[in-house]
Amino acid sequence: MFRTYRAAFRVPGSGRFAAAGFVARFSIAVYPIGLVLLISLKTGHYGFAGLLSGIYVVSNGAGNSVLGRLVDRFGQSRLLIPATCVHLAAVVTIIALVESNAPHWALVPPTIVIGLSYLPIGSLVRARWSLVLAGQPELTTAYALESTLDEVIFTLGPLLAAVIATQLSAVWVFVVAGLLVGAGAFWLSGQHDTEPRAQEAGAPPHQSALRYRGIVLLILSAVCMGAMFASAEVSIVAFCGQHGQKGLSGVALSCFAGGSAVSGFLYGARHHARPARERFVRQALILGALSWLFLVTVDVPVVAVVAAVVGAGIAPTLISAFGLIESIVPNAALTEGMSWLVTGLSIGYGLASSLVGSIADAHGARVAFTVGIGAGVLVCVLALTLRARLRVSAESEPVAVG
């Protein structure tokens, strides 16, 4: 099982950039809950705390695609330091404003800057994997590794934030988050041997990743996937609370993330001969079918089991989606293309989070689960439409995977 992972890490420098990327993007799961803790523990109010967290998520999603395009044009090392400095300055600003009891509106601008200036580190690392493993089957393994690490981050990040906020101070959540981003970004910026080449000086700007056949449909699929993930998570928390076991919601969410992490790791341990588009369609159909299992939830233990099973469909779908982008978009626009996928996930997650919570309050968690099921159906429809569209394009042939 571990042979394919060892093969991927035999490439010189791969362990260093994977580790740097993990450190630099760990805070992506810390900032949203950190903002909620920062405001709620200070004022006792959750309304503005949730709003501020949503502003961060939307800003980060908007900034990902723009920064991804700039990285493709100028190179990772030229963007990592300036963008990170702006990011850290915004983190210091929001800490200073909170400590000085500034009005709520004053926290909005630095929150927006924190989101906009946070580079899409996951896309940068995947672009490096695409460079060092070009044309090799281990590339799917590398994408699986990154997706597994994402699940680890989203499992441990909120936990770390909660421990720091309750044992020290909510302000220290941002101190630690900023230090992790800075350390990881500076570490990654010095690794020039595995950095994808920037666009040559004087060359005209490359075509946007959005112009390539199928990318828009893939991004819409990502929006639906993000909506499904958010619906499942919010509905799980609501279900546990409405059954008098709110304390077990963390366990159920861990099962959701754990199922994804395990399946992603196992998926990456295999070599896949099918074209990228066929792998994505297959995984999308599996994910959509698994979402219907939420209808059988009757108590919290069943929810935890169902969450683990449904979660098992997440990572393979995301891995195949990143592989599909790699097969459609040329290297000159690869970081931007991957960043758009992350942006789609963020948009879907943000939209569904606000919708599902209201439905759970008004009609119960079981009804709220239907939002995720509907999103899963849309993922299937869009995946099948995407496959039909790619069949008529020469760009549908995989160039680096399988």
Side-chain angles (χ1 to χ4, degrees):
M1 180 186 300
F2 296 100
R3 186 181 307 166
T4 52
Y5 285 95
R6 286 197 299 267
F9 279 109
R10 288 194 187 104
V11 178
S14 58
R16 287 186 292 115
F17 74 69
F22 178 79
V23 173
R25 75 178 188 269
F26 191 90
S27 299
I28 196 170
V30 175
Y31 284 131
I33 187 65
L35 286 165
V36 173
L37 293 169
L38 190 67
I39 302 303
S40 62
L41 293 179
K42 191 83 173 180
T43 66
H45 301 297
Y46 290 90
F48 181 72
L51 175 63
L52 203 62
S53 181
I55 289 173
Y56 162 77
V57 172
V58 173
S59 300
N60 184 241
N64 273 338
S65 54
V66 176
L67 290 174
R69 183 170 176 82
L70 292 175
V71 165
D72 284 328
R73 183 169 185 181
F74 298 108
Q76 294 187 12
S77 58
R78 293 181 63 184
L79 265 293
L80 273 165
I81 303 302
T84 301
C85 288
V86 172
H87 180 83
L88 295 179
V91 171
V92 172
T93 300
I94 202 168
I95 291 173
L97 289 172
V98 170
E99 288 293 278
S100 62
N101 295 314
H104 283 173
W105 62 265
L107 303 180
V108 174
T111 299
I112 293 174
V113 175
I114 289 174
L116 288 175
S117 59
Y118 196 176
L119 280 163
I121 301 295
S123 299
L124 270 61
V125 173
R126 286 179 173 91
R128 290 184 182 241
W129 280 117
S130 179
L131 173 68
V132 301
L133 293 175
Q136 301 181 43
E138 287 80 16
L139 183 56
T140 299
T141 301
Y143 287 159
L145 172 68
E146 296 303 322
S147 293
T148 301
L149 292 178
D150 285 339
E151 296 298 342
V152 172
I153 288 170
F154 280 98
T155 300
L156 298 181
L159 177 61
L160 176 66
V163 170
I164 293 175
T166 53
Q167 299 300 318
L168 296 174
S169 167
V171 169
W172 276 97
V173 174
F174 275 76
V175 173
V176 172
L179 289 174
L180 288 172
V181 173
F186 278 84
W187 186 10
L188 187 62
S189 67
Q191 300 179 36
H192 300 288
D193 52 336
T194 56
E195 179 183 355
R197 292 181 60 185
Q199 187 175 348
E200 294 182 5
H206 64 76
Q207 180 173 269
S208 171
L210 293 176
R211 301 289 297 276
Y212 291 91
R213 186 186 296 271
I215 289 297
V216 173
L217 282 172
L218 188 55
I219 294 170
L220 290 175
S221 299
V223 172
C224 294
M225 283 190 280
M228 180 182 169
F229 304 159
S231 170
E233 291 179 359
V234 174
S235 299
I236 286 170
V237 173
F239 188 94
C240 293
Q242 291 169 3
H243 284 72
Q245 295 178 299
K246 189 175 183 180
L248 293 178
S249 60
V251 175
L253 291 177
S254 296
C255 291
F256 192 54
S260 178
V262 171
S263 67
F265 185 83
L266 296 176
Y267 185 85
R270 298 172 52 213
H271 286 164
H272 303 273
R274 289 189 177 188
R277 68 176 185 274
E278 297 299 331
R279 294 202 306 273
F280 174 69
V281 171
R282 180 184 61 185
Q283 296 305 142
L285 293 176
I286 292 173
L287 180 64
L290 289 176
S291 67
W292 288 85
L293 291 176
F294 280 117
L295 292 180
V296 306
T297 54
V298 293
D299 54 31
V300 173
V302 172
V303 164
V305 173
V306 169
V309 176
V310 177
I314 294 175
T317 307
L318 291 177
I319 293 164
S320 57
F322 280 110
L324 183 55
I325 286 180
E326 198 272 342
S327 72
I328 297 174
V329 179
N331 289 336
L334 185 57
T335 307
E336 180 196 355
M338 292 183 174
S339 299
W340 272 114
L341 184 66
V342 176
T343 297
L345 291 169
S346 298
I347 292 173
Y349 194 97
L351 292 175
S353 294
S354 58
L355 173 65
V356 174
S358 301
I359 293 176
D361 287 337
H363 305 287
R366 285 181 60 85
V367 175
F369 278 125
T370 60
V371 176
I373 295 171
V377 171
L378 288 176
V379 170
C380 297
V381 172
L382 288 167
L384 292 171
T385 305
L386 176 60
R387 179 173 64 179
R389 183 164 177 76
L390 290 179
R391 277 177 174 169
V392 299
S393 171
E395 296 170 355
S396 65
E397 295 302 320
V399 298
V401 183

